[in-house]
């Protein structure tokens, strides 16, 4: 039998990133804050981080932001972050992790040392805990300051919106209801927050890593405060891939490949690993939509977060607002 | 345990019909054909048909069409249709079936007696055979005259478009790829054409009636000329409902109810029967979207077909075109 003609649509991150960046530019113009500055601390020799930093710099400059890459010694990092926290010229701060690969607690301490109002990656405890509990604002019940979501999970959400996997006919907070999604990766930075966010929006999410499968669900309704997690003992990809509408790969290992033969015909496949978790030619014979990488969307989300931080603090960041406050006073 | 809060969105046919009728009005205005006339023949005493005719009349008048209901004797019907075929004041013809409930061949003969260019319901052999073979035009390779689709199946397609089940990110002809759909009813007028149309657009369609389950698929690619049908021996609703993203009921029996407990959480449920195939309160606990009836969309599709028939024959129907042709001549 002849091979079936290809029907898979390949969507490049660039297409989606461009749309988001236009939104970011428009929002930046509307809050009239001049050229915001993002400070990035590099305290390791990670070549991937250097490349990512270079691309971030380029994207910042193209979109009206200043990007200030600071190479610092590990031992100086905390002090440098403190100074940036205090510096009114700095609007957002990020750190390239890991700093101490063998000491998660030390990396976590660094994460927490970034001021909440400059935590552009949304990795501080307050931002993460809001995300896990489906709390959208930092200042309830006033609800003027939006909580920040981590960039890569947010990028995947934005991609799923672009791909019409979020159904706009349904109520906000329920737009993934009826969808089954597998996320292969359950890291604290990417896979677990992503599974929680998808479950909070109504999806049935199978979160898979080497330790096994967990099912994340929102629970019964759309007013549920947070998702629920259940261990699926003895389950594996063989159980979850055939029933998944969307398969998201994020395994940071070059040799890892998702078993395409288990994927349902016409599924949507998205890769957020810096390695290709899907074999390109094979996945195109099986998927309806394939997104081979998300990096450019992640950077667009970083700038989206930065603009959100600025909008959260018009008093601190907006010269005009500051002047008006002075004149009023 | 408390019952989960309802998350189902109920979409009424009226909402979707209004949008379609606006499109129809705009198209009618753009082809500038004055007030087209639809002739409907009633040759039985079916009370449902009378009600449907009354509603059709109202919709026609509200949207710039004349509706001419002609009550005729069964034995006069063919002659009356022939006269309407010849009458240049008549733009579309429909007949309320069945006329001879015990003689399908006689009803079919009546169907074929309607002139192709006035067959507003798309039930003639030529229109049906084009639909089954996924041929969109009556005049290949010129492709100026569009083939007509039967109104109820077309209404369900338009509803699925409105509900974002058709994914606009995918190529036309492939927008249901990856979706599994169950259609309960395999009549020649509704269920079978609907299953074929959905399969032609890429869905995996389980067509269910009292005789069993058939699987309709498009085959391997989007260039496949027509769908393929496969008998699923010993399969039943218990096999197909749990794996269906969309469940479409069309059983014309008051007592019939789809077994809600078999439906997948968050499925989309649509009823095109004139009876309620889904128990309302129960389906709202299970579905993400529920469309309880399609009648008003069907009538909007009828008028859409009528405008298409007129556009197919600008020479016969458009006074302005006729005048221009005369002046050119």
């Amino acid at each position: 039998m002849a091979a079936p003609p290809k029907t898979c649509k390949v969507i490049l991150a660039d297409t989606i990133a461009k749309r988001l960046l236009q939104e970011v530019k428009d929002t930046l113009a509307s809050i009239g804050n001049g050229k915001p500055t993002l400070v990035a601390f590099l305290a390791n020799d990670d070549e991937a981080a250097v490349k990512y930093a270079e691309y971030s710099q380029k994207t910042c400059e193209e979109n009206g932001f200043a990007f200030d890459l600071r190479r610092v010694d590990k031992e100086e990092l905390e002090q440098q972050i403190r100074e940036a926290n205090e510096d009114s010229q700095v609007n957002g701060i990020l750190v390239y992790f890991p700093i101490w690969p063998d000491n998660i607690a030390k990396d976590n301490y660094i994460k927490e040392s970034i001021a909440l109002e400059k935590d552009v990656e949304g990795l501080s405890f307050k931002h993460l805990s809001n995300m896990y509990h489906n709390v959208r604002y930092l200042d309830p019940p006033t609800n003027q300051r939006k909580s920040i979501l981590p960039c890569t999970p947010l990028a995947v959400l934005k991609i799923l919106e672009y791909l019409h996997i979020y159904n706009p006919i349904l109520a906000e907070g329920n737009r993934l209801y009826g969808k089954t999604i597998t996320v292969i990766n359950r890291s604290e930075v990417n896979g677990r927050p992503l599974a929680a966010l998808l479950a909070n929006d109504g999806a049935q999410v199978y979160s898979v890593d080497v330790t096994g499968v967990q099912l994340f669900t929102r629970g019964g309704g759309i007013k549920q405060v947070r998702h629920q997690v259940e261990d699926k003992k003895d389950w594996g990809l063989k159980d979850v891939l055939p029933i998944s509408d969307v398969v998201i790969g994020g395994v940071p290992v070059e040799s890892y490949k998702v078993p395409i033969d288990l994927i349902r015909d016409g599924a949507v496949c998205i890769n957020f690993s810096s390695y290709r978790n899907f074999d390109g030619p094979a996945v195109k014979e099986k998927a309806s939509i394939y997104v081979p990488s998300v990096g450019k969307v992640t950077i667009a989300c970083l700038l989206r977060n930065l603009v959100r931080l600025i909008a959260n603090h018009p008093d601190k960041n907006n010269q005009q607002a500051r002047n008006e406050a002075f004149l009023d006073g």
Side-chain angles (χ1 to χ4, degrees), chain A residues 29-221:
Chain A
S30 78
I31 60 177
N33 195 64
K35 190 172 184 173
T37 296
L38 175 61
V39 169
F41 288 105
L42 185 64
N44 60 23
D45 301 319
D46 185 350
E47 270 312 304
V50 173
K51 263 193 136 168
Y52 189 70
E54 280 166 4
Y55 187 79
S56 300
Q57 175 139 34
K58 187 168 165 285
T59 308
C60 277
E61 280 165 8
E62 284 169 5
N63 291 280
F65 297 84
F67 183 84
D68 182 356
L69 181 66
R70 301 183 183 176
R71 288 166 192 264
V72 298
D73 187 87
K74 286 172 201 235
E75 300 304 329
E76 294 296 318
L77 183 55
E78 187 193 349
Q79 182 55 34
Q80 293 273 334
I81 290 172
R82 279 172 174 268
E83 287 170 20
N85 282 342
E86 296 302 315
D87 183 351
S88 67
Q89 300 304 307
V90 175
N91 301 94
I93 299 171
L94 69 86
V95 173
Y96 294 105
F97 290 102
I99 310 296
W100 292 277
D102 302 322
N103 197 331
I104 288 173
K106 269 181 104 169
D107 273 14
N108 256 338
Y109 179 89
I110 292 293
K111 261 173 217 161
E112 294 305 321
S113 70
I114 299 171
L116 186 68
E117 69 267 24
K118 300 193 179 179
D119 175 29
V120 71
E121 292 202 293
L123 295 178
S124 69
F125 171 77
K126 178 70 178 169
H127 284 142
L128 285 180
S129 110
N130 274 351
M131 179 200 64
Y132 281 118
H133 291 268
N134 208 6
V135 174
R136 309 288 172 101
Y137 289 91
L138 289 163
D139 56 345
T142 315
N143 294 347
Q144 292 293 311
R145 291 163 51 207
K146 288 185 178 164
S147 200
I148 298 294
L149 296 174
C151 300
T152 297
L154 179 59
V156 175
L157 263 54
K158 289 287 158 193
I159 289 168
L160 290 173
E161 270 181 21
Y162 181 87
L163 301 180
H164 295 252
I165 309 305
Y166 275 81
N167 189 338
I169 284 287
L170 298 175
E172 213 172 323
N174 198 39
R175 291 185 173 161
L176 293 178
Y177 184 39
K179 298 288 191 298
T180 302
I181 303 179
T182 291
V183 179
I184 310 172
N185 170 311
R186 195 161 58 240
S187 70
E188 287 305 306
V189 184
N190 292 324
R192 194 162 86 91
L194 176 57
L197 284 166
L198 297 173
N200 283 341
D201 283 334
Q204 176 121 335
V205 185
Y206 293 103
S207 167
V208 182
D209 73 1
V210 286
T211 69
V213 177
Q214 288 185 334
L215 173 60
F216 285 59
T217 53
R218 186 194 48 205

Side-chain angles (χ1 to χ4, degrees), chain A residues 279-290:
Chain A
D279 175 66
V283 75
K284 286 176 203 165
E285 296 290 339
K286 206 70 181 282
S288 59
I289 303 174
Y290 170 47

